[in-house]
Amino acid sequence: MNQHLELLLLWAGGLSLLGLAAAVVGVPWVVARLPADYFNQPRRAVWREWGDEPWFALVLGGIKNLVGALLVLLGMVMLVTPGQGLLTLLVGLLLMNFPGKYRLERWLVGRRGVLTALNWLRRRGGHAPFEPPTY
């Protein structure tokens, strides 16, 4: 039993370090590339409408959802371990496609401190701050 516990702790520590590295590099990169009015757009542009190849859009969508799900899982792990758990979770949710996503994004950004943290990352990258969501 101790051997299984050690293995579990080793995996948890490794995932925590991986998540921390992904958060330090990936979260600011994604947050900086979103438009300032991202949380106030009346209609989102659907990236699948941009291409002429439906199979490419399907593959790209699958990869995007897998990466988003991985970031959500890493964000949940980082809520209790070192790292930017909430921001990583938010970026993972932003990548994924599911019904009600826009409402959830706006609700999360409306929480105290989340918009402040996102805008801090944008300022460090030299980008305009996000506009607060209007309801």
Side-chain angles (χ1 to χ4, degrees), residues 17-109:
L17 287 174
L18 178 68
L20 178 62
V24 167
V25 173
V27 170
W29 183 80
V30 170
V31 168
R33 276 146 186 79
L34 295 174
D37 65 344
Y38 183 81
F39 300 105
N40 286 325
Q41 296 177 357
R43 182 181 182 279
R44 297 271 174 91
V46 179
W47 61 271
R48 290 180 302 263
E49 294 174 355
W50 298 345
D52 296 330
E53 302 289 335
W55 62 271
F56 180 72
L58 185 63
V59 170
L60 189 61
I63 292 170
K64 188 173 85 96
N65 282 323
L66 284 173
V67 170
L70 177 65
L71 287 175
V72 167
L73 291 173
L74 290 173
M76 287 192 290
V77 168
M78 284 189 283
L79 288 174
V80 294
T81 61
Q84 299 174 338
L86 194 56
L87 288 174
T88 305
L89 200 135
L90 179 63
V91 169
L93 288 173
L94 293 175
L95 283 175
M96 294 171 59
N97 297 323
F98 56 88
K101 173 183 158 184
Y102 187 55
R103 282 192 319 261
L104 178 62
E105 289 172 355
R106 291 166 52 95
W107 180 83
L108 282 172
V109 170

